[in-house]
Amino acid sequence: MSAKKKKLIYNAVTFGVVILAFLLCNLFYGQMSRSLRAQLIPICCWIVMAVSLNLVVGISGELSLGHAGFMSIGAFTGIIISGWLLKGFQMENETLRLVLSIVAGGAVAGLLGFLIGIPVLRLRGDYLAIVTLAFGEIIRNVLNCVYTSVDGTRLVFGFINPTLPGTLLLNGPNGAVSVSKIATFTAGFLLVLAALVVVLNLINSRTGRAIMATRDNRIAAESVGINVTRYKMIAFVTAAALAGMAGALYGLNYSTLVPGKFKFDQSINVLVFVVLGGIGNTLGAVISATVLTILPEMLRDFADYRMLVYAVLLIVMMLVTNTPATKAFFNNLKGLLSRKGPRKTVEVSQRKGGDRA
Amino acid sequence: MIFLSNLVNGLSLGSIYAIIALGYTMVYGIAKMLNFAHGDVIMVGAYIAFCALQYWGLPPVAALLAAMLLCTVLGITIEGLAYRPLRQATSLAVLITAIGMSYLLQNLALLIWGANPKSFPSVMIQLPTLSLFGDQLKISGVTMMTILANIAIMIVLTTFISRTKMGKAMRCVSEDRGAAELMGINVNRTISTTFAIGSALAAVAGILLCSAYPTLMPTTGSMPGIKAFTAAVFGGIGSIPGAMIGGILLGVIEILGKAYISTELGDAIVFAVLIIVLLFRPTGLLGKPIREKV
């Protein structure tokens, strides 16, 4: 099978799975439990988060620990824009408001991603990771001090100053209150599709190949004339903008939202989705984001032990998928399924095992 | 005088960060992994000391030893069960396992000790408050103890690393694991020892932290853990003097920033300084520059 055909099949499967899942959800909406229904929009948001972080971690090869920061910027921009349009301009059309909010959330987060990317992408490895973590924490800390209100058709901002004229939209550490919940599952689905179109097209384009080249060997990529910083920046900004859009949808799904919701743990959670889905694997990111968002809900039967079981599952999954024995098993399985037969892969896996011993 | 008192408080907080950062930096230097569960070992250590004082009725010194001993066992167990099987795996896989371990410790603590914050007993450190300049500058016993403990740990650890056989083995493994193995160094045992030392230090840090800020919760360790990790990177991760300098600077910057710039933006100031330092010294204050081989 040619590489091109393989990619085509992979993309078709990815889109197929997402569309099928959406249709099934709509078909069985009546049978779903309340808690599962409430999870549908967050699941879409986390899928977009995972797919976008996968672009940074998997495709461009930089560990980012501050992805939730971009999500929170998108969320609060979305809430401000939506509240401004509703209270300042009496825009009643919810769909239009949602679309404008999401676009604004993505744009602001993308711009911030660009500004942060300038210093961040100069660093390497763990130092880059810690700086993204630092930026995520700074964003949360600064958002804790921002107050916004609508006065007539005017937006008023205050910093560490809660006395503003008009209706308050953002209230510092207490976050956004009485947000009109305009997010819909269909919008979430369309956002997931859009994110997939953007990311998969980017990966399979000339730009995407350049990004992967910088990941695989920075010096070699530079020596064939690839501008490393530029291509890493493209991946970083695209991911930030997508995260901002996911954030706007997420923010408009709840009536209240505090900046403390987007702590460092949330960035880590998204990273867990990406790693468990297989780093660099977009479909894997989609599936693991879905499963791992539903899993804590499904574990409600365990009540107090819920997060404990989740933690144990996480460790066991990493141990099982990363030991040589299971890797060899999966290689054999892949060999059996492919037309060339298992022999070649068995040899490869044995040789790998030999290297380790 | 207020400045001096802030400075002393900063030194004290920085000493706690430095002790925690030592655990991060040693493990990173030798096992090349970010041990995210380290912050939660601090919390476990503080809870053990709390139980020893409150329920078992042990004297403070015995409580300290109990906390150090149990945390050492915990550290070695975590390393053996979760990290050792992943020695050959990618660094991201190890990172996620460490994150899972951090969740596990937090939730175990939640089950055992409950979500309600516990008030850490003040009997742990009984030093009188020191008054200087005719009562203008007061230094509490906890603050003094923290700074003294930090100095003592720094001296003992530096001697251990530079003088003992095990310390030499640690330096070897951190330099080149494969070569160390060929020279007959037991790499697994060296890594276990590193975890043991790091975890014992975490127990000390937990007790000092909770003596200064007496609210004890299952999430107590996570924010100081992240700050100490930042401190380790600030000083150049893998370098022991770097962790010391990074930790102390970070504590001083945090307290002075909160006092003179803005209370709400204290954390943001700390992280902003980190970013600025890394822009000018991309491998931290004392980190070795990365050489690229083609």
Side-chain angles (χ1 to χ4, degrees):
Chain A
M1 218 183 316
S2 73
K4 209 171 180 182
K5 212 169 158 192
K6 246 184 186 167
K7 263 181 208 157
L8 204 68
I9 291 176
Y10 179 84
N11 290 357
V13 168
T14 309
F15 282 111
V17 165
V18 171
I19 293 169
L20 192 69
F22 175 70
L23 292 177
L24 283 177
C25 281
N26 273 329
L27 207 61
F28 293 105
Y29 193 77
Q31 276 97 310
M32 272 188 223
S33 69
R34 263 180 69 105
S35 67
L36 194 60
R37 271 187 220 169
Q39 289 291 315
L40 287 177
I41 298 172
I43 286 174
C44 294
C45 299
W46 293 120
I47 289 178
V48 176
M49 287 297 286
V51 167
S52 61
L53 186 65
N54 187 39
L55 190 62
V56 178
V57 176
I59 306 303
S60 128
E62 302 292 3
L63 180 58
S64 167
L65 297 176
H67 213 48
F70 296 121
M71 191 183 188
S72 70
I73 284 291
F76 288 104
T77 309
I79 286 170
I80 291 173
I81 295 296
S82 162
W84 186 36
L85 290 175
L86 182 67
K87 285 173 185 134
F89 300 96
Q90 277 74 42
M91 187 190 278
E92 297 292 341
N93 187 340
E94 289 190 354
T95 317
L96 187 61
R97 226 164 69 218
L98 183 64
V99 171
L100 288 175
S101 303
I102 290 178
V103 169
V108 173
L111 182 68
L112 195 75
F114 176 71
L115 293 177
I116 291 178
I118 296 170
V120 163
L121 295 174
R122 289 168 40 137
L123 301 166
R124 309 271 168 90
D126 296 315
Y127 294 94
L128 187 145
I130 192 83
V131 167
T132 53
L133 185 158
F135 270 115
E137 289 296 305
I138 291 177
I139 290 173
R140 184 172 63 86
N141 212 275
V142 169
L143 278 177
N144 260 331
C145 303
V146 173
Y147 296 83
T148 313
S149 72
V150 187
D151 185 27
T153 57
R154 199 164 59 97
L155 265 184
V156 192
F157 288 92
F159 198 68
I160 325 183
N161 170 25
T163 43
L164 295 177
T167 338
L168 214 55
L169 289 177
L170 278 194
N171 189 10
N174 296 327
V177 278
S178 61
V179 180
S180 64
K181 291 161 68 174
I182 50 175
T184 60
F185 181 42
T186 314
F189 165 70
L190 291 175
L191 188 61
V192 171
L193 274 193
L196 284 177
V197 169
V198 169
V199 169
L200 289 176
N201 271 319
L202 181 64
I203 294 174
N204 294 328
S205 69
R206 188 185 164 83
T207 315
R209 286 189 291 276
I211 294 172
M212 283 186 273
T214 65
R215 169 195 69 185
D216 292 338
N217 193 328
R218 193 185 175 110
I219 296 170
E222 248 168 354
S223 70
V224 293
I226 292 172
N227 183 343
V228 172
T229 312
R230 179 168 168 245
Y231 283 102
K232 288 213 183 283
M233 186 65 101
I234 290 174
F236 197 72
V237 171
T238 312
L242 287 173
M245 292 171 131
L249 186 72
Y250 190 82
L252 294 169
N253 184 38
Y254 296 99
S255 51
T256 55
L257 192 71
V258 292
K261 176 105 189 153
F262 301 98
K263 269 194 280 190
F264 164 71
D265 324 20
Q266 297 289 6
S267 306
I268 292 293
N269 262 342
V270 183
L271 185 67
V272 169
F273 299 158
V274 171
V275 175
L276 277 183
I279 297 162
N281 189 331
T282 308
L283 179 59
V286 172
I287 292 172
S288 71
T290 314
V291 172
L292 291 183
T293 313
I294 300 176
L295 192 64
E297 296 298 319
M298 303 280 266
L299 292 175
R300 285 237 182 257
D301 294 345
F302 292 94
D304 292 346
Y305 299 92
R306 188 164 72 106
M307 285 314 284
L308 195 70
V309 174
Y310 180 75
V312 172
L313 279 178
L314 202 62
I315 296 171
V316 170
M317 269 193 273
M318 290 324 286
L319 288 180
V320 166
T321 49
N322 280 292
T323 45
T326 40
K327 270 191 180 160
F329 172 76
F330 279 111
N331 273 340
N332 286 348
L333 203 68
K334 252 186 214 162
L336 281 174
L337 291 177
S338 81
R339 253 189 303 171
K340 280 177 186 164
R343 244 189 105 191
K344 199 177 162 194
T345 40
V346 169
E347 270 167 26
V348 169
S349 63
Q350 272 170 353
R351 205 169 61 220
K352 271 188 190 161
D355 274 350
R356 284 208 180 81
Chain B
M1 218 37 77
I2 297 172
F3 174 77
L4 219 55
S5 125
N6 279 326
L7 192 67
V8 172
N9 286 337
L11 280 177
S12 157
L13 180 64
S15 298
I16 298 176
Y17 286 158
I19 299 172
I20 308 173
L22 279 176
Y24 274 111
T25 221
M26 284 174 70
V27 166
Y28 184 87
I30 287 161
K32 295 284 173 290
M33 65 166 287
L34 298 177
N35 181 17
F36 261 99
H38 192 66
D40 301 290
V41 178
I42 300 165
M43 173 269 299
V44 173
Y47 267 115
I48 292 169
F50 172 80
C51 286
L53 291 169
Q54 206 85 337
Y55 303 139
W56 310 335
L58 294 179
V61 177
L64 172 73
L65 290 179
M68 285 175 74
L69 187 72
L70 289 175
C71 278
T72 308
V73 173
L74 180 71
I76 295 177
T77 317
I78 291 174
E79 196 273 328
L81 283 182
Y83 303 153
R84 189 171 294 177
L86 295 175
R87 237 3 87 77
Q88 310 289 340
T90 57
S91 60
L92 265 179
V94 189
L95 183 72
I96 301 291
T97 314
I99 290 162
M101 211 23 114
S102 159
Y103 286 163
L104 184 68
L105 290 180
Q106 277 183 24
N107 287 291
L108 275 178
L110 195 67
L111 278 180
I112 299 172
W113 291 292
N116 288 336
K118 301 245 188 293
S119 171
F120 197 77
S122 56
V123 294
M124 197 69 210
I125 296 166
Q126 286 159 322
L127 275 182
T129 303
L130 188 70
S131 297
L132 292 174
F133 306 109
D135 274 2
Q136 282 190 7
L137 176 66
K138 280 200 171 107
I139 305 174
S140 74
V142 176
T143 310
M144 274 191 299
M145 192 63 190
T146 309
I147 297 173
L148 289 178
N150 183 30
I151 295 171
I153 287 172
M154 185 158 57
I155 293 170
V156 171
L157 202 63
T158 318
T159 321
F160 176 78
I161 296 283
S162 56
R163 297 288 159 84
T164 64
K165 208 171 174 184
M166 192 35 118
K168 209 174 191 178
M170 283 178 175
R171 279 181 289 145
C172 281
V173 174
S174 106
E175 191 88 10
D176 189 330
R177 190 189 292 171
E181 210 159 13
L182 289 176
M183 297 298 132
I185 293 169
N186 187 338
V187 170
N188 277 336
R189 207 174 62 205
T190 313
I191 293 178
S192 286
T193 314
T194 313
F195 269 86
I197 296 173
S199 306
L201 290 181
V204 177
I207 291 169
L208 291 172
L209 181 75
C210 288
S211 297
Y213 306 90
T215 353
L216 181 54
M217 283 191 295
T219 50
T220 295
S222 59
M223 200 59 198
I226 291 174
K227 291 243 183 78
F229 170 44
T230 315
V233 177
F234 192 73
I237 196 154
S239 145
I240 288 176
M244 277 289 163
I245 295 172
I248 289 173
L249 277 181
L250 211 70
V252 171
I253 292 168
E254 182 175 338
I255 297 282
L256 292 185
K258 274 186 177 156
Y260 294 105
I261 303 178
S262 152
T263 324
E264 289 92 343
L265 288 176
D267 290 349
I269 294 166
V270 169
F271 288 117
V273 170
L274 168 84
I275 292 166
I276 293 166
V277 167
L278 285 186
L279 284 184
F280 291 103
R281 287 197 61 88
T283 53
L285 291 174
L286 299 183
K288 286 180 205 140
I290 308 167
R291 284 206 190 85
E292 272 182 287
K293 288 179 203 155
V294 181

